[in-house]
Amino acid sequence: MSQQTTDLNIPSTSKDDNPLCKYCQSEASPRADISCQLSDRERAKNFVELHDQVSASIELLDSLESFLGTFQNDLSAVSGQISDLQARSKEFEARLQGRKRIERPLSQLLSDLSMSPELVTTILDTAVGEPWIPVIEEFQQKLQSIKVRSRVKAARDLAELVEGLRIAAATKIRAFFQAAMQPIRTSISTNMHMLQSSVFLKYAPLYAFLQRHAKSVAQELQRAYIGCAKLYYETGFRRYIRNLGYIKTRTIEKPVLIGNVANETGVPGPFVDTDRLAFAKLEGSGTTLAFLADDKTYKEPTESLFRSMLMVLLDNACAEYLFIVKFFREPADLPVAPPSPMPRSPQPGTPIASTFHLDRIGTDVGSERGGTASKRLSIISVAESNLGLPITNKEQEKEQRAMLDGIWKQIMEPATQFCKACPDWLFYGFTFADSCLEPSPPIVPLLTMVRMNEVVLAECQKRDCAPLETFLLGLRLGMWPIFQKEMNAQVESLKKIVDSAGSGYLMRGTTLKDSWIQLICQRYAALFTSFVALTGEEEEAMLFSNLMRLRQEVNRLIITQAGKMKDPAHSATYLATTYEILLHNLSTGPHSTTHPKAQAEVAHWRQREEEARRRISLVRR
């Protein structure tokens, strides 16, 4: 500050302004002069001290002024630095947001493309076993991810390594399944179904890997299995059917016509064998074992052997078809994960968030891996529509089923050749079903075999074995005409007797006996009750129409025999007695009395009996 300003601030020290001096002047005493002088000295000293303080303050203010000028310059510099820091902070914030935005897809990309050392070591250095199952499933996911992300450089770099692992895995899996098939090739005593469940189905994921990533190897193994299984079943069924044929030759049954009574002596019985009727059901006794053929005295009825053949065929064919469907069915496509972002080289000053782009296939970056099943299905549908391909899920399923049926037929065709109902020159004309039907067996065993075939067909439909259904339907179509032929022969034999009896002669020197009438009635009752026992509640027009034809001829025969009696009372009594015997035979059969046809049959003959008894009463009057 200037000296002028300082002077203005210093109070005046003139004598006139000092009140004490005035007092002293007014007192005008020597003692007062001395006191004033002392006071002036003290004030002067204070003024000096005050002057010194003011000077120090002025110096301090000058240095403060200089410091403030320097501080202002420094503050301007700091303000510029803060602006730079704020700009850098915004840049860092933008980069952080970009890193956060790409963190999840980048992490997914690394997870999908990276392979653990355990996976590589298991495939290259260990034999195929249970640890391979999860490893192969993981490896398939890696293959799928690398395939989907083929645009990523890291995926292209891994392609050669992954291809080597794929070839190594396919080679080892092929050798494993080839070794598993060796017991089938070498021994017929191998438990085929146990091998399928404990080895093939257990390691089915390994074969699914071949179907997806090594189709030629999968097809080779499929052909190898078809050859082994075909040989196994062909050999097994040939031996089993041959042994059943040996047993069958020990029991020869000729069909007995209901009207063939001329050479009969007496009335044999019983006519209904309930144990043999049980061979029309799956439940009951077990199948005939092959080794029983070694016992020369062992015998079984034809329908029992036929039942054994069908049950063995049913179990093996359905089990094999179930295995084929589970093992050889084309595996479902693996879920496709959303591709990871593809990095591009950033330009200077460009935020990192803008250096990545995503190839979206139905899912966003933030979605869960693979998306939902509905999204994946829509992806496939959209892809097919974009390519101009129709969505053919049903057609694909139909083709898949046809392929599986074809595998089953290749395996089981030789086995069914031994069981079908027509001769085949390829197998020297030997088929078991054909031998059971030619020459024709008795009518009841024949119907028993027909019913057993239908029961097996129904069971086959429950087990959903379509190829075997075709075989059984063909067998049924071959058996029903034979049955109809035999029924026609039964009716014609009875009709021939009725016509001969009505014309007055049966054979030269032979007349129709009452015992023969009773035998025919007993045979008819046995035939009817057996048919009803082998028939369900549903209506079967062809079966009961044939029985109706037989009933008409039996009724004609009884009336014709009674008409030969001259005495009306004796004739009516004969009718009533014969009807009573027939009713007794019908009521004692193995059939259910609640069956509608059985009730209708009993009601018919009971009405005949009542008419005969009313006729007796009228005649006696």
Side-chain angles (χ1 to χ4, degrees):
M1 296 181 180
S2 65
Q3 185 66 33
Q4 183 179 0
T5 305
T6 306
D7 293 340
L8 291 175
N9 293 332
I10 299 174
S12 174
T13 57
S14 65
K15 185 176 179 180
D16 294 334
D17 295 333
N18 193 333
L20 184 57
C21 291
K22 292 179 178 180
Y23 175 77
C24 293
Q25 292 176 0
S26 64
E27 289 295 330
S29 64
R31 187 175 179 179
D33 294 338
I34 296 172
S35 301
C36 290
Q37 293 177 356
L38 293 174
S39 299
D40 292 338
R41 292 176 180 175
E42 290 177 359
R43 285 196 294 272
K45 183 178 181 180
N46 291 336
F47 288 151
V48 170
E49 292 177 357
L50 181 61
H51 181 268
D52 293 339
Q53 291 176 1
V54 170
S55 299
S57 299
I58 293 173
E59 292 177 357
L60 182 61
L61 290 173
D62 291 339
S63 75
L64 180 61
E65 181 180 6
S66 175
F67 175 76
L68 288 175
T70 304
F71 177 75
Q72 185 175 4
N73 295 332
D74 294 340
L75 184 63
S76 298
V78 170
S79 177
Q81 293 177 357
I82 290 175
S83 298
D84 293 340
L85 290 176
Q86 288 178 343
R88 294 181 63 187
S89 175
K90 291 180 180 179
E91 181 181 356
F92 289 155
E93 181 69 19
R95 293 195 176 192
L96 178 61
Q97 294 298 327
R99 295 291 175 87
K100 288 182 178 180
R101 191 175 293 112
I102 67 173
E103 178 183 4
R104 189 169 188 173
L106 184 60
S107 174
Q108 179 180 331
L109 176 65
L110 295 176
S111 175
D112 291 342
L113 297 184
S114 62
M115 285 181 287
S116 63
E118 291 79 6
L119 184 148
V120 179
T121 303
T122 301
I123 294 177
L124 295 179
D125 299 337
T126 63
V128 177
E130 290 188 17
W132 272 59
I133 298 176
V135 168
I136 287 297
E137 292 179 351
E138 180 184 355
F139 184 50
Q140 288 187 94
Q141 294 290 344
K142 302 297 182 183
L143 288 173
Q144 188 72 9
S145 300
I146 292 174
K147 181 179 179 182
V148 172
R149 293 161 177 80
S150 58
R151 297 173 59 187
V152 182
K153 185 177 182 300
R156 296 195 299 270
D157 295 339
L158 286 173
E160 185 176 353
L161 172 62
V162 170
E163 180 65 15
L165 288 176
R166 184 191 68 83
I167 294 174
T171 303
K172 287 190 174 184
I173 293 173
R174 173 185 176 276
F176 171 78
F177 281 115
Q178 288 283 9
M181 296 178 196
Q182 193 61 28
I184 307 175
R185 295 189 180 99
T186 57
S187 176
I188 190 64
S189 61
T190 302
N191 191 327
M192 181 73 159
H193 305 305
M194 182 64 68
L195 185 65
Q196 290 173 346
S197 60
S198 62
V199 178
F200 286 94
L201 292 179
K202 180 180 179 180
Y203 293 97
L206 304 186
Y207 184 76
F209 166 79
L210 297 180
Q211 289 178 304
R212 292 189 181 102
H213 305 287
K215 288 188 177 297
S216 60
V217 179
Q219 291 173 358
E220 178 188 353
L221 289 176
Q222 178 179 309
R223 290 191 297 269
Y225 175 81
I226 289 174
C228 295
K230 178 180 179 181
L231 178 62
Y232 177 86
Y233 286 112
E234 178 182 358
T235 305
F237 269 88
R238 183 177 65 248
R239 294 180 180 180
Y240 183 69
I241 295 300
R242 182 176 57 201
N243 289 333
L244 291 183
Y246 291 155
I247 298 175
K248 180 183 176 301
T249 57
R250 298 169 189 165
T251 304
I252 300 177
E253 288 186 294
K254 295 181 180 180
V256 179
L257 298 177
I258 190 172
N260 188 10
V261 293
N263 298 325
E264 295 290 341
T265 58
V267 181
F271 286 90
V272 180
D273 191 344
T274 56
D275 294 336
R276 296 183 64 172
L277 294 178
F279 294 136
K281 301 178 182 179
L282 287 176
E283 302 81 8
S285 60
T287 59
T288 302
L289 302 180
F291 74 90
L292 295 174
D294 297 334
D295 185 0
K296 304 299 182 181
T297 61
Y298 183 79
K299 296 181 180 181
E300 281 284 348
T302 303
E303 59 269 32
S304 174
L305 301 177
F306 184 81
R307 172 178 176 271
S308 297
M309 179 204 71
L310 287 183
M311 290 184 65
V312 171
L313 179 63
L314 173 69
D315 291 340
N316 284 274
C318 291
E320 184 63 26
Y321 188 73
L322 180 61
F323 166 76
I324 291 172
V325 171
K326 288 183 178 180
F327 190 77
F328 290 107
R329 186 181 185 87
E330 287 293 334
D333 294 334
L334 293 175
V336 180
S340 299
M342 305 289 292
R344 298 184 304 213
S345 298
Q347 300 295 331
T350 304
I352 292 183
S354 64
T355 64
F356 289 85
H357 69 279
L358 298 176
D359 295 327
R360 293 180 176 86
I361 303 182
T363 52
D364 296 329
V365 176
S367 62
E368 294 297 328
R369 177 171 181 157
T372 61
S374 60
K375 289 184 178 180
R376 291 196 296 272
L377 181 59
S378 62
I379 291 167
I380 296 173
S381 303
V382 171
E384 290 180 346
S385 60
N386 291 338
L387 294 174
L389 299 176
I391 302 173
T392 55
N393 292 333
K394 292 183 178 180
E395 292 181 2
Q396 291 176 356
E397 181 66 22
K398 186 177 180 180
E399 293 177 359
Q400 182 83 257
R401 191 68 178 244
M403 184 270 292
L404 298 174
D405 291 353
I407 295 176
W408 184 91
K409 290 178 181 178
Q410 293 181 63
I411 293 174
M412 299 300 298
E413 187 68 24
T416 55
Q417 290 291 339
F418 295 111
C419 304
K420 68 179 184 178
C422 62
D424 194 336
W425 65 270
L426 182 62
F427 295 98
Y428 307 102
F430 177 76
T431 56
F432 183 73
D434 183 57
S435 67
C436 291
L437 300 175
E438 293 293 340
S440 299
I443 190 67
V444 174
L446 178 59
L447 182 60
T448 302
M449 289 188 285
V450 171
R451 291 304 187 208
M452 182 61 194
N453 182 75
E454 293 178 349
V455 170
V456 172
L457 177 60
E459 182 66 21
C460 181
Q461 292 173 346
K462 292 180 182 179
R463 300 184 187 184
D464 195 20
C465 184
L468 185 60
E469 290 181 33
T470 304
F471 167 78
L472 295 173
L473 286 172
L475 198 61
R476 181 172 70 175
L477 292 176
M479 298 175 72
W480 274 113
I482 298 176
F483 175 80
Q484 184 62 43
K485 178 182 176 181
E486 291 301 314
M487 285 301 299
N488 291 336
Q490 296 287 344
V491 174
E492 290 299 325
S493 67
L494 192 55
K495 185 177 181 181
K496 183 178 179 180
I497 292 182
V498 176
D499 294 340
S500 300
S503 61
Y505 64 92
L506 184 62
M507 293 180 60
R508 180 174 297 179
T510 306
T511 57
L512 187 61
K513 300 179 181 179
D514 293 343
S515 60
W516 293 355
I517 302 297
Q518 295 181 12
L519 178 59
I520 291 174
C521 292
Q522 192 172 3
R523 286 178 178 176
Y524 171 76
L527 198 64
F528 182 87
T529 55
S530 299
F531 279 22
V532 173
L534 294 172
T535 306
E537 295 295 332
E538 63 275 4
E539 180 74 18
E540 292 198 23
M542 186 187 72
L543 187 65
F544 288 103
S545 64
N546 288 318
L547 287 175
M548 184 67 67
R549 292 166 58 197
L550 273 179
R551 185 176 73 179
Q552 292 174 357
E553 298 301 329
V554 169
N555 195 24
R556 282 180 56 202
L557 180 63
I558 296 174
I559 294 174
T560 300
Q561 184 70 4
K564 294 180 181 181
M565 301 177 184
K566 297 180 180 181
D567 186 1
H570 185 59
S571 176
T573 303
Y574 174 79
L575 288 174
T577 304
T578 305
Y579 291 150
E580 183 179 2
I581 295 174
L582 188 56
L583 283 170
H584 174 74
N585 292 331
L586 288 173
S587 61
T588 57
H591 64 287
S592 173
T593 56
T594 59
H595 195 285
K597 291 297 181 180
Q599 294 179 348
E601 186 71 13
V602 171
H604 171 78
W605 294 111
R606 193 175 301 282
Q607 182 181 2
R608 294 287 183 178
E609 181 190 11
E610 292 175 356
E611 291 176 357
R613 295 197 180 279
R614 284 197 297 269
R615 184 179 174 184
I616 293 173
S617 301
L618 293 174
V619 171
R620 287 180 179 177
R621 289 178 185 176

